[in-house]
């Protein structure tokens, strides 16, 4: 919808899906976030949360009698970020269009990585057999994505070369490569429109004294969605440490939120072994370090034009 800037969480869990009574409140699906910005639909990652999003998009498409057009941005192609795409029903429908963008990993193009996720005999349908119109392209860190004048197709510009600077009326997406995730790193994204911004930084591990590059990238963002998979006890466990696994603790996430001066922090990519109680306890502790912190759960949404203040706790 024109004039709307909204983020909605469909999958918030890292590693693998965990449905069941222990995860009912937070949800068990792997990463997928829908961003609606001034009439454009952007989907961040394609974990199993994307399956329910697909059903909802079908409903919206019938209701509004128009096809679905979306830009899908991959942080990286680990299984938990791609496993929803074979079951994303709108991709099977001929009238729909998807711009599918993400990093090239080592010497593998995004298209090749996604095709491998849907290859017989592991899966009965191949990526190229999906009937929707798909433009699949590697994204470079220097690429600036711009949506202009309501055009649903993202335009590519070189961030440091092409002029003029983006118009604040346009939707603009910046990319940053994060190196703190095995084996090929991840992309962080920053979506800006009308002076508001969302930063998506999943599957990243914090650094001593905060991640300075990410801090710069997230400077002044309204919403920072940051990995917070492990408790500090898990991260520091000398017998079974999670150091180097490419994920953060809530303390690391709050450290970036504080140093970047963001408005609201969302803890994301919850560990599959954490039940609802554990995740909510992590949120509570994180609020002592950064009051405007919320834990991501399925169905959570933020209106970027009207963000909650810390005293409106969930
Ligand atoms: Zn992940
Ligand atoms: Zn990963």
């Amino acid at each position: 919808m024109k004039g709307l800037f909204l983020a909605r969480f469909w999958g918030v869990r890292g590693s693998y899906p965990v449905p069941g009574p222990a995860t009912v409140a937070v949800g068990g699906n792997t990463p997928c976030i829908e961003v609606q910005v001034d009439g454009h639909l952007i989907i961040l990652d394609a974990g199993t949360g994307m399956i329910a999003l697909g059903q909802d998009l079908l409903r919206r498409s019938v209701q509004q009698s128009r096809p679905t057009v979306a830009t899908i941005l991959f942080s990286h192609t680990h299984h938990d970020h791609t496993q929803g795409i074979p079951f994303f029903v709108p991709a099977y429908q001929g009238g729909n269009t998807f711009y599918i963008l993400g990093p090239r990993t080592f010497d593998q193009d995004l298209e090749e990585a996604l095709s491998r996720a849907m290859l017989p005999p592991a899966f009965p349908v191949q990526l190229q057999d999906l009937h929707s119109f798909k433009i699949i392209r590697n994204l470079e860190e220097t690429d600036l994505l711009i949506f202009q004048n309501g055009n649903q197709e993202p335009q590519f510009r070189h961030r440091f070369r092409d002029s003029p600077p983006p118009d604040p009326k346009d939707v603009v997406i910046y990319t940053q490569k994060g190196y703190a995730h095995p084996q090929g790193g991840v992309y962080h994204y920053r979506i800006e429109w009308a002076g508001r911004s969302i930063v998506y930084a999943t599957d990243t591990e914090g650094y001593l004294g905060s991640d300075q590059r990410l801090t710069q990238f997230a400077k002044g963002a309204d919403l920072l969605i940051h990995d917070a998979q492990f408790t500090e006890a898990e991260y520091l466990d000398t017998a079974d440490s999670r150091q180097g696994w490419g994920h953060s603790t809530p303390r690391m996430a709050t450290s970036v939120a504080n140093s970047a001066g963001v408005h609201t922090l969302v803890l994301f990519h919850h560990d599959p072994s954490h039940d609802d109680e554990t995740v909510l306890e992590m949120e509570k502790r994180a609020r002592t370090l950064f009051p405007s912190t919320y834990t991501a759960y399925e169905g959570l949404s933020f209106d970027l034009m009207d963000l909650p203040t810390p005293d409106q706790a969930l």
Side-chain angles (χ1 to χ4, degrees):
M1 200 196 297
K2 291 284 281 178
L4 191 72
F5 195 176
L6 186 100
R8 185 179 289 136
F9 292 79
W10 292 88
V12 299
R13 189 70 57 170
S15 308
Y16 54 87
V18 278
T23 59
V24 162
V26 171
N29 284 296
T30 56
C32 183
I33 302 169
E34 169 193 9
V35 177
Q36 290 183 44
V37 49
D38 199 32
H40 301 280
L41 174 61
I42 294 157
I43 299 170
L44 298 169
D45 278 327
T48 60
M50 193 190 217
I51 302 167
L53 169 60
Q55 297 296 342
D56 202 59
L57 290 176
L58 282 186
R59 187 188 53 74
R60 286 183 227 172
S61 174
V62 170
Q63 213 171 48
Q64 297 163 6
S65 350
R66 61 171 185 210
T68 301
V69 181
T71 296
I72 303 172
L73 298 175
F74 283 93
S75 60
H76 62 318
T77 50
H78 281 170
H79 200 47
D80 50 331
H81 299 256
T82 59
Q83 64 202 155
I85 209 154
F87 308 100
F88 182 60
V89 179
Y92 287 79
Q93 297 183 330
N96 297 333
T97 303
F98 297 100
Y99 302 96
I100 303 175
L101 310 169
R104 178 182 162 88
T105 311
F106 301 117
D107 56 356
Q108 195 174 61
D109 289 332
L110 177 69
E111 181 159 9
E112 195 184 342
L114 295 177
S115 299
R116 282 176 185 226
M118 293 181 68
L119 209 61
F123 196 75
V125 184
Q126 296 196 43
L127 184 66
Q128 54 265 43
D129 293 337
L130 302 184
H131 290 175
S132 58
F133 184 57
K134 302 174 294 302
I135 296 95
I136 306 177
R137 191 185 146 155
N138 296 335
L139 202 54
E140 305 297 332
E141 200 181 8
T142 49
D143 282 331
L144 196 62
L145 288 180
I146 301 184
F147 295 89
Q148 280 173 315
N149 305 322
N151 183 358
Q152 297 293 330
E153 182 174 351
Q155 308 296 309
F156 288 78
R157 282 217 203 134
H158 192 288
R159 189 166 155 191
F160 303 104
R161 274 209 301 266
D162 298 349
S163 56
D167 191 307
K169 290 200 297 291
D170 299 336
V171 176
V172 182
I173 304 177
Y174 297 86
T175 306
Q176 181 188 59
K177 172 130 182 169
Y179 296 94
H181 194 67
Q183 300 240 349
V186 292
Y187 272 180
H188 307 144
Y189 293 106
R190 180 177 178 121
I191 305 170
E192 290 188 353
W193 179 68
R196 303 293 164 117
S197 50
I198 297 176
V199 172
Y200 179 55
T202 189
D203 293 63
T204 189
E205 184 166 346
Y207 293 96
L208 182 66
S210 188
D211 182 335
Q212 296 302 328
R213 283 180 66 250
L214 180 55
T215 294
Q216 284 306 315
F217 189 67
K219 209 82 189 164
D222 295 278
L223 194 69
L224 169 64
I225 302 162
H226 195 294
D227 192 301
Q229 180 155 346
F230 301 133
T231 64
E232 255 170 77
E234 287 164 340
Y235 191 81
L236 297 172
D237 187 339
T238 48
D240 185 21
S241 173
R242 309 295 202 276
Q243 283 180 4
W245 288 26
H247 297 288
S248 292
T249 63
R251 183 180 288 274
M252 291 167 181
T254 58
S255 169
V256 174
N258 273 313
S259 51
V262 306
H263 183 284
T264 296
L265 169 67
V266 180
L267 305 178
F268 189 69
H269 204 276
H270 307 304
D271 193 90
S273 73
H274 291 169
D275 60 12
D276 289 335
E277 205 181 322
T278 307
V279 174
L280 293 172
E281 181 59 32
M282 289 165 79
E283 175 192 56
K284 201 164 124 195
R285 283 166 179 250
R287 280 186 179 162
T288 65
L289 302 167
F290 188 80
S292 191
T293 299
Y294 300 86
T295 201
Y297 62 86
E298 287 175 26
L300 173 68
S301 66
F302 289 96
D303 177 350
L304 268 283
M305 308 316 266
D306 186 23
L307 283 171
T309 49
D311 51 7
Q312 294 173 277
L314 298 176

